[in-house]
Amino acid sequence: MDLPFMKELALEAGEIGLKHFGRVTKHYKKDRSIVTAADIEIEHLILKRIRGRYPSHGIVAEETASSSAHSGPHMWAVDPVDGTQAFSFGFPFWAISIGFLENGAPTKGVVYQPAIDEMYSGDRGGVFLNGQPLGPAEELPLDQDSYLMVPESLHNKYKYSWKGDCLSLGSVAAHCAYVARGCAVGAISRAFIWDLAAGAALMEPLGIHSRYLDGREINWPELYGGKRLPAPCLSAKPGHWPSIAACFHQWETE
């Protein structure tokens, strides 16, 4: 399994996304989340390519959820348009998110933002932005100017005492990419495996760990069935992780 294949997939998917971008008809799923023709077309392309090349691998994807998930050692986690709401309203920070997990852990990831032409790719051998290596970002002190990537529902579902700046772009995968890049000190989410797996694979080689806010490690295989993370997750460097986590005191359940 190689990153060039994943990057080719993301580029093909991006072309489809750009074809639809700005000309979107929204539909609502049973959970009231938005789906568009681009989501369906891109997911069909990616799943067809993966199944054709790696027929024994499992796949969990947003629009088909657990229909092809399994408990084997090789699993793909695919979000055809991460940030569909942003995409449908014309914001450019949506992403194609393709993650690969081996033996229950994310090991390879591609996050591609077609509207701004930023391709993040990586594995344990290195992480890249448009082909240029990203090194571990300097661990700066946390202060009022520090950016934390957060859900758009932060004000409704969290009680927090974070004194820095909060930013939401509407895409968990994009949030992870910007943390990997060093633009933000961390990211909080309570998403699905297809939102987070690729980003986790990009962040981990750079020393950025993803754990639940209570400190528990993520059990990735328990998410293969398409369930939302059971608790909020924080991705940050070890030196920042406890200080950021301590600022978020309660999760308001849905």
Side-chain angles (χ1 to χ4, degrees):
M1 212 294 301
D2 58 332
L3 277 175
F5 170 67
M6 297 173 70
K7 292 168 68 175
E8 288 172 11
L9 269 182
L11 286 170
E12 282 189 74
E15 290 179 4
I16 295 172
L18 289 173
K19 178 183 70 176
H20 289 276
F21 189 46
R23 295 177 290 277
V24 174
T25 299
K26 294 180 290 185
H27 302 280
Y28 289 90
K29 296 184 279 190
K30 290 181 180 180
D31 64 359
R32 299 303 298 163
S33 62
I34 295 172
V35 65
T36 71
D39 294 86
I40 303 301
E41 188 176 347
I42 291 171
E43 185 165 307
H44 176 78
L45 167 77
I46 293 175
L47 269 58
K48 181 180 178 181
R49 293 279 197 276
I50 293 173
R51 288 170 178 155
R53 186 160 177 153
Y54 301 105
S56 67
H57 290 190
I59 308 171
V60 57
E62 180 172 14
E63 305 310 329
T64 53
S66 61
S67 62
S68 60
H70 74 168
S71 57
H74 301 117
M75 176 66 69
W76 296 76
V78 175
D79 194 337
V81 179
D82 185 47
T84 301
Q85 184 167 349
F87 173 81
S88 67
F89 281 97
F91 291 101
F93 298 107
W94 48 278
I96 316 294
S97 179
I98 306 174
F100 182 70
L101 300 94
E102 297 176 86
N103 299 313
T107 57
K108 300 179 189 292
V110 168
V111 173
Y112 180 43
Q113 295 178 269
I116 58 175
D117 196 26
E118 288 189 352
M119 170 80 76
Y120 297 83
S121 61
D123 57 18
R124 291 165 181 165
V127 181
F128 302 85
L129 168 57
N130 291 344
Q132 298 301 310
L134 292 176
E138 182 181 356
E139 194 167 285
L140 300 173
L142 297 179
D143 56 32
Q144 63 183 10
D145 296 321
S146 299
Y147 269 108
L148 184 68
M149 311 306 291
V150 299
E152 60 269 25
S153 59
L154 178 77
H155 59 293
N156 290 327
K157 296 180 179 178
Y158 289 87
K159 293 182 179 179
Y160 58 95
S161 57
W162 171 252
K163 301 301 183 183
D165 291 319
C166 294
L167 182 63
S168 178
L169 302 176
S171 165
V172 172
H175 289 180
C176 293
Y178 287 121
V179 174
R181 188 172 174 175
C183 301
V185 295
I188 287 181
S189 65
R190 187 178 174 227
F192 296 86
I193 190 171
W194 48 75
D195 302 306
L196 189 58
L202 295 175
M203 294 186 291
E204 190 67 30
L206 300 173
I208 301 161
H209 305 308
S210 300
R211 301 199 303 272
Y212 292 119
L213 274 177
D214 61 9
R216 288 177 296 136
E217 297 291 335
I218 297 173
N219 181 346
W220 295 96
E222 76 176 6
L223 306 174
Y224 287 176
K227 293 182 179 179
R228 185 186 294 270
L229 269 68
C233 165
L234 169 62
S235 302
K237 289 203 167 187
H240 286 157
W241 202 97
S243 298
I244 298 173
C247 294
F248 292 82
H249 304 298
Q250 184 177 346
W251 170 256
E252 298 292 344
T253 58
E254 296 178 351

